[in-house]
Amino acid sequence: MDAFVNDSSKTELPIKNLKTLLLKHEDNLENNTQHLDQVLAALDPRTQSMAYLIVLKVKCGDQRKNVQNFINQVSHFLSSFNGEQIRVIPQYFSQVSKHYVEQLYNTRVPSRGVLPLKRAVCVFPEKTNTLTPQHADFLQLCILSKCYHQALPIISESTTNLNPEQTNINVKDVLSYFYYAGIIFTALKKYKQALEAFRQAWTAPATALSAIAIEAYKKYYLVYLMVNGTIPGFPKYTPTVVQRTIKNHCKSYVEYGQTFTGGNVQEIHNKASAHAENFQKDKNLGLVKLSIRSIHRRNIKKLTQTFMTLSLKDIAEHVKLSPADAETTILKMIEDGEIFATINQKDGMVSFNENPETYSGNKILNELDTQIHNIVTLESKLTSINEQFATSPAFLKKILTNEKRSVSQYDNGMEDMIA
Amino acid sequence: MVTAAYPEIQKYLEANDFKNILSWCTENELRLQQDKFVKYYNVFLINYLIANDITNARFLWNRIPSEIKGADPHLKTIWALAKYISQLNYAHIYKHLAINFGPELAPFINELKVSFQRRVFDLISNSYSNISIKDASLYLGISPEEVVRFTQTNGWEKDPSSDSVKPVPVKPVEQVGNGTKKIHSLTDYIKHVRIEEF
């Protein structure tokens, strides 16, 4: 044990050598779990991050450990570790982080892990915008502790890097990340981004259907109904297996969607309560209710496309609301920028206006500037990926063999014809 | 002036900087020990309302441990207020705003009332071409006489025939851009495009 502590401070060694040196002690640590807390107390997580992490990983396997202590130790570690030392043993890091989330969940204090893991997602990856397995862990804690706002800055950044060798990230981590991100965007009523995140989860390349994809699709389906009022289709890049089979797993949703587009409020209510048990089981009943509530707003919006002015009474009749409720709804819609209208209480009329935005102000210019900036960054990223491919021996070899094959096939064809 | 009931945010409060109070609360809710943050929950909740962020106010309410909700009588009242704001139940909103929350919370409640009234006033100005004095008085939480006096200073005309007023739309204040920054990003883009070409 003392030897391990001694070795752990040899940070002057090249990082790979330090790793080999420290991992030699792992068996010894596993056989002496009762002394692990003492070892941790002797280590400084800032300067001896690698050793600290190895001990924590060994502790994950110890069934008899004090859970409170473990949580404190990991929190302390996550709030101060040195990213450089951790990057050489990513599989240890993700194992500890997963176990940590599990223990926080079991002891019902998920909020305690939010800030430590938030630091972990920011410090661990070498490059920014890299997705790590800890991203999904972090989002899960945010959802469990209802700290959605803590996750928003992280999920609003577009992630453009995946580096499996360096972060030990796997498919499940990626899918969970997008699924959780979708849930958080939905909770914060950022539906456009929510749809995008859910779609990433169920359109990810796949040869078999995953449970995460199915759950993501269910939520996607309901949010899509609520936002657009129509049934979503499959984008071209959707894997065939998903296109063929996913709807079999979401029968209640598809039925509900068909009724929904029919537009008959009573029937929609009936369908929703008929499948309420299924929706409840999937924890989607809230979304179903929201989708029903969106009907009035969408119907009012439709009216603005047909009429220039309409009396409040007529509007109320069209959308089946009382005149007072219709007025409140319209007022809310104006505030949210969904419609442009003015109400005249004296005549009881509502006039629908054109969008007053002239697209000439400073706000639009700034918006345009941000968009161009994003595209330029993305373009540079694409160019660098392209270069990586163009210089990759494996890729070039594949191209070459493919070319040879197609040429020889062509030759054979010619010979056949001549013969 | 009350002697600092909330020492950590006193300097923001003196500057009427409610935006920073909200970010302080967001920052420290998880960082501070719970017993140190406990008295800030009500400030946090009101400031979400001042920022007109009902969604986050609701999640905050769900996060607050139930024993704290029970111990602080004001928290429940503020949450009731939040619900009325989300339903736009004007009569109840103003009734709740008039409750005595004690000197410590008074500056926040006062700001909430002012900002809510301002928001509603802007909304009415842009959404109505004609509104009855009765409704305007309900929306703004002031007496009909005050409505007439207040709206006239803002250029609204009174329509004596129908006991109503004619709102004048307010235009949002245009932000002035930073020219140097714009030129800077423009050169960046041109540089990018030129690199592509060669």
Side-chain angles (χ1 to χ4, degrees):
Chain A
M1 285 290 167
D2 286 341
F4 176 76
V5 175
N6 279 339
D7 283 348
S8 68
S9 40
K10 294 180 180 157
T11 38
E12 73 283 355
L13 289 175
I15 204 123
K16 290 248 166 75
N17 298 6
L18 182 66
K19 176 183 160 188
T20 335
L21 190 63
L22 290 179
L23 287 182
K24 276 188 195 144
H25 295 284
E26 203 177 337
D27 287 342
N28 189 15
L29 291 170
E30 269 166 23
N31 294 329
N32 290 292
T33 46
Q34 71 277 20
H35 300 306
L36 292 180
D37 284 341
Q38 275 167 296
V39 176
L40 283 180
L43 294 173
D44 181 349
R46 264 168 306 188
T47 53
Q48 297 155 321
S49 304
M50 200 194 294
Y52 207 97
L53 179 61
I54 292 172
V55 180
L56 287 177
K57 187 249 166 189
V58 173
K59 276 198 88 173
C60 290
D62 176 16
Q63 299 299 327
R64 285 168 306 172
K65 65 175 171 286
N66 179 327
V67 172
Q68 269 320 318
N69 268 347
F70 176 77
I71 290 177
N72 287 340
Q73 284 155 351
V74 180
S75 304
H76 180 49
F77 168 72
L78 291 177
S79 317
S80 51
F81 72 89
N82 168 328
E84 214 174 303
Q85 285 189 31
I86 300 308
R87 273 176 220 131
V88 286
I89 45 171
Q91 65 281 21
Y92 282 59
F93 193 44
S94 62
Q95 203 177 332
V96 169
S97 141
K98 291 241 151 39
H99 192 71
Y100 174 61
V101 171
E102 214 171 284
Q103 296 305 334
L104 285 169
Y105 174 69
N106 289 340
T107 48
R108 293 162 192 276
V109 282
S111 63
R112 287 190 52 196
V114 172
L115 287 185
L117 264 179
K118 191 173 188 177
R119 177 175 181 268
V121 262
C122 299
V123 173
F124 174 55
E126 199 171 16
K127 279 189 237 153
T128 46
N129 297 348
T130 305
L131 201 59
T132 68
Q134 289 71 50
H135 274 79
D137 296 341
F138 167 63
L139 297 191
Q140 193 185 355
L141 283 185
C142 289
I143 296 171
L144 287 172
S145 62
K146 299 198 165 62
C147 292
Y148 301 97
H149 60 289
Q150 294 283 358
L152 192 62
I154 306 272
I155 53 177
S156 303
E157 289 257 328
S158 54
T159 48
T160 44
N161 282 318
L162 269 183
N163 195 338
E165 295 91 46
Q166 203 186 65
T167 61
N168 197 38
I169 194 166
N170 61 30
V171 181
K172 199 182 144 213
D173 294 324
V174 177
L175 293 184
S176 320
Y177 168 77
F178 283 116
Y179 175 61
Y180 291 143
I183 291 179
I184 294 170
F185 278 131
T186 312
L188 295 172
K189 300 195 192 299
K190 298 188 182 300
Y191 297 123
K192 218 181 121 202
Q193 284 133 301
L195 285 173
E196 218 163 279
F198 283 137
R199 194 170 52 228
Q200 293 282 0
W202 62 262
T203 58
T207 45
L209 204 54
S210 90
I212 303 175
I214 296 172
E215 292 310 308
Y217 187 71
K218 287 175 181 171
K219 293 201 189 315
Y220 176 84
Y221 198 93
L222 291 175
V223 176
Y224 196 92
L225 279 183
M226 167 168 57
V227 175
N228 301 306
T230 51
I231 294 173
F234 293 119
K236 256 190 214 157
Y237 49 84
T238 316
T240 336
V241 57
V242 172
Q243 298 203 24
R244 283 212 196 112
T245 53
I246 204 162
K247 285 194 175 164
N248 300 340
H249 298 273
C250 320
K251 285 202 176 105
S252 325
Y253 294 82
V254 175
E255 270 185 41
Y256 175 70
Q258 276 156 357
T259 319
F260 191 88
T261 44
N264 183 326
V265 179
Q266 194 51 48
E267 271 177 32
I268 296 170
H269 270 289
N270 292 345
K271 209 50 163 194
S273 38
H275 291 297
E277 208 176 306
N278 269 338
F279 295 146
Q280 181 74 49
K281 199 182 78 214
D282 296 339
K283 300 207 169 140
N284 285 335
L285 199 58
L287 279 178
V288 172
K289 285 182 185 157
L290 279 176
S291 70
I292 294 179
R293 230 186 281 168
S294 76
I295 297 173
H296 297 307
R297 285 185 166 223
R298 193 160 321 99
N299 286 346
I300 291 182
K301 209 167 175 190
K302 269 187 204 155
L303 292 177
T304 66
Q305 287 154 9
T306 324
F307 298 96
M308 297 289 286
T309 51
L310 203 60
S311 73
L312 267 175
K313 206 172 121 257
D314 284 344
I315 294 178
E317 244 168 57
H318 265 289
V319 298
K320 307 207 165 44
L321 280 172
S322 73
D325 281 346
E327 191 177 326
T328 325
T329 312
I330 292 173
L331 203 56
K332 270 194 190 168
M333 289 177 76
I334 297 176
E335 189 176 21
D336 295 344
E338 272 183 70
I339 57 168
F340 308 97
T342 36
I343 307 169
N344 189 327
Q345 278 198 335
K346 188 181 163 194
D347 317 331
M349 298 296 282
V350 180
S351 17
F352 300 121
N353 311 331
E354 294 285 314
N355 185 345
E357 178 61 73
T358 52
Y359 298 102
S360 58
N362 235 316
K363 211 176 132 207
I364 293 291
L365 197 60
N366 285 337
E367 174 79 2
L368 200 63
D369 196 54
T370 339
Q371 297 286 356
I372 295 178
H373 181 79
N374 288 345
I375 295 291
V376 167
T377 328
L378 189 65
E379 217 262 4
S380 319
K381 177 79 203 164
L382 273 179
T383 319
S384 83
I385 293 179
N386 203 7
E387 274 165 13
Q388 257 176 38
F389 270 119
T391 55
S392 141
F395 177 72
L396 291 175
K397 209 171 159 192
K398 202 174 172 191
I399 295 267
L400 216 60
T401 28
N402 275 353
E403 251 173 33
K404 270 188 197 153
R405 199 177 299 146
S406 62
V407 168
S408 61
Q409 270 172 358
Y410 182 68
D411 285 351
N412 289 342
M414 289 293 277
E415 277 162 22
D416 288 348
M417 274 170 69
I418 296 165
Chain B
M1 198 68 213
V2 191
T3 44
Y6 303 104
E8 283 92 344
I9 52 170
Q10 185 61 24
K11 59 171 190 273
Y12 300 129
L13 189 56
E14 277 166 22
N16 268 331
D17 186 351
F18 291 92
K19 231 180 182 167
N20 260 321
I21 293 178
L22 187 58
S23 24
W24 185 89
C25 291
T26 325
E27 279 274 298
N28 289 287
E29 181 197 0
L30 295 173
R31 187 160 296 147
L32 287 180
Q33 296 283 331
Q34 197 167 60
D35 53 320
K36 282 198 184 127
F37 191 78
V38 125
K39 61 175 179 180
Y40 282 99
Y41 276 121
N42 44 28
V43 176
F44 198 2
L45 197 57
I46 300 178
N47 275 283
Y48 265 135
L49 298 182
I50 292 175
N52 192 21
D53 191 343
I54 301 284
T55 314
N56 272 313
R58 180 173 297 126
F59 292 133
L60 172 62
W61 174 252
N62 291 338
R63 285 203 294 277
I64 301 177
S66 46
E67 63 269 18
I68 296 176
K69 285 180 195 168
D72 187 338
H74 290 318
L75 262 176
K76 274 190 185 150
T77 327
I78 300 169
W79 174 239
L81 184 57
K83 277 199 287 194
Y84 290 128
I85 291 182
S86 79
Q87 296 156 3
L88 290 183
N89 186 333
Y90 295 97
H92 276 97
I93 294 170
Y94 289 109
K95 211 167 97 190
H96 266 73
L97 281 170
I99 293 175
N100 184 4
F101 284 89
E104 288 164 8
L105 287 179
F108 300 103
I109 293 293
N110 197 27
E111 172 68 18
L112 174 59
K113 187 175 176 188
V114 171
S115 66
F116 182 76
Q117 275 175 325
R118 196 184 310 129
R119 189 159 68 82
V120 175
F121 178 75
D122 285 355
L123 181 63
I124 302 178
S125 309
N126 291 324
S127 316
Y128 284 94
S129 55
N130 181 297
I131 184 168
S132 73
I133 292 178
K134 194 174 127 259
D135 276 4
S137 127
L138 176 71
Y139 286 167
L140 294 170
I142 50 182
S143 72
E145 298 76 43
E146 278 175 304
V147 168
V148 177
R149 209 176 323 129
F150 178 68
T151 54
Q152 266 170 357
T153 57
N154 281 285
W156 295 17
E157 263 175 58
K158 189 171 181 257
D159 184 346
S161 65
S162 60
D163 219 12
S164 61
V165 280
K166 292 182 187 162
V168 180
V170 284
K171 284 216 176 84
V173 187
E174 181 88 351
Q175 282 175 342
V176 184
N178 180 344
T180 336
K181 213 180 134 216
K182 291 244 161 58
I183 296 216
H184 188 79
S185 48
L186 190 63
T187 45
D188 271 355
Y189 301 150
I190 290 175
K191 205 170 75 197
H192 182 81
V193 176
R194 298 297 290 183
I195 289 170
E196 296 276 291
E197 275 180 18
F198 295 115

